[in-house]
Amino acid sequence: MKLWDVPVSGNCKKVRIAARELGIELERMSLDPSKGENQRPEYVEKNPMGKVPTIEDDGFVLWESAAIVVYLAKKLPAKRLLPADPRGEADALRWLFWGASHVGPNVQRLGQERVYKARLGGGPPDPAIVAAAEKELARFVPVLEQQLASQPHVLGRDYSVADIVLGCTFDSARMVQYDLAPFPAIRAWLERLQARPAWRE
Ligand SMILES: N[C@@H](CCC(=O)N[C@@H](CS)C(=O)NCC(=O)O)C(=O)O
């Protein structure tokens, strides 16, 4: 299976970790966005967004990191990264959509303002954008904190695609200076995830 990725991207890390957990071999094609490699016609033909990650599995092209992780998990159901029953699967999808709608975009805004602008000489962070992202996160992150206060993983006892996808998003949140100090259950969960071989590698 081929993966087009950017090594530092949290969205690509979700795919690499899921593949490692499942024992799926990836042939990695790393792109350098600073050289515009993600905007080259041969790549945009596969992913019209010009974003990473994208996979190709025997001619099947797929982009959007959470969809890719679900696809990988469904290829190897015996590994039980995605609950098999309809309610369990819907619960997993609920958390993936939650992360993609309420957390991921705000973390990306913080990254853009606090990290990439500085790196690309784009000037100081815009305080209005930072404040708006922080306000949204302040509303939604406590929901996950509550979920993890009484159970080791997002769906309960078992490790799943929800831990892989949301764990990478929250790992990125930490890297863009989102303060996780008020969220001890999330911090403990991230430590548990990072102790897994697939995460360490
Ligand atoms: N919703 C997408 C987001 C993908 C995304 O934003 N990827 C970033 C890297 S983490 C990217 O390709 N940025 C380059 C760009 O926007 O041109 C997913 O989950 O796959």
Side-chain angles (χ1 to χ4, degrees):
M1 189 180 299
K2 288 182 178 162
L3 167 69
W4 284 265
D5 79 345
V6 169
V8 297
S9 153
N11 284 311
C12 295
K13 198 163 86 174
K14 297 171 190 172
V15 178
R16 293 198 301 269
I17 289 172
R20 178 69 183 75
E21 297 279 11
L22 293 161
I24 294 172
E25 284 282 324
L26 291 175
E27 182 190 342
R28 285 175 64 184
M29 262 79 60
S30 292
L31 300 177
D32 183 347
S34 74
K35 294 185 183 149
E37 289 178 355
N38 54 324
Q39 296 299 340
R40 290 194 179 145
E42 62 272 23
Y43 182 66
V44 173
E45 202 178 296
K46 292 190 190 302
N47 182 338
M49 309 260 287
K51 285 181 174 257
V52 287
T54 301
I55 60 157
E56 187 170 342
D57 181 28
D58 228 349
F60 174 62
V61 174
L62 186 64
W63 40 267
E64 278 298 324
S65 57
I68 296 171
V69 171
V70 168
Y71 172 71
L72 299 186
K74 280 194 171 250
K75 276 182 78 99
L76 286 135
K79 301 272 185 173
R80 304 169 69 94
L81 280 186
L82 184 70
D85 65 297
R87 290 184 183 182
E89 182 173 331
D91 189 23
L93 294 179
R94 173 230 309 263
W95 285 104
L96 301 192
F97 286 125
W98 176 83
S101 331
H102 302 307
V103 183
N106 289 307
V107 169
Q108 280 197 330
R109 267 175 216 123
L110 292 182
Q112 177 64 28
E113 294 304 314
R114 289 179 174 158
V115 181
Y116 294 108
K117 262 188 168 176
R119 227 177 255 173
L120 303 171
D126 180 329
I129 296 177
V130 169
E134 290 272 7
K135 188 174 169 204
E136 286 284 285
L137 290 170
R139 178 172 170 203
F140 297 116
V141 173
V143 176
L144 183 63
E145 175 68 13
Q146 196 182 356
Q147 181 79 354
L148 290 167
S150 57
Q151 55 188 40
H153 296 109
V154 176
L155 302 187
R157 195 169 35 98
D158 296 331
Y159 175 73
S160 75
V161 292
D163 299 292
I164 296 174
V165 170
L166 294 179
C168 288
T169 302
F170 277 84
D171 197 35
S172 298
R174 202 158 42 181
M175 287 190 296
V176 300
Q177 298 141 42
Y178 180 68
D179 184 14
L180 287 176
F183 305 111
I186 291 179
R187 284 189 281 114
W189 164 72
L190 283 176
E191 269 173 38
R192 281 194 295 278
L193 296 181
Q194 277 156 357
R196 297 180 69 90
W199 285 71
R200 283 207 307 270
E201 285 165 30

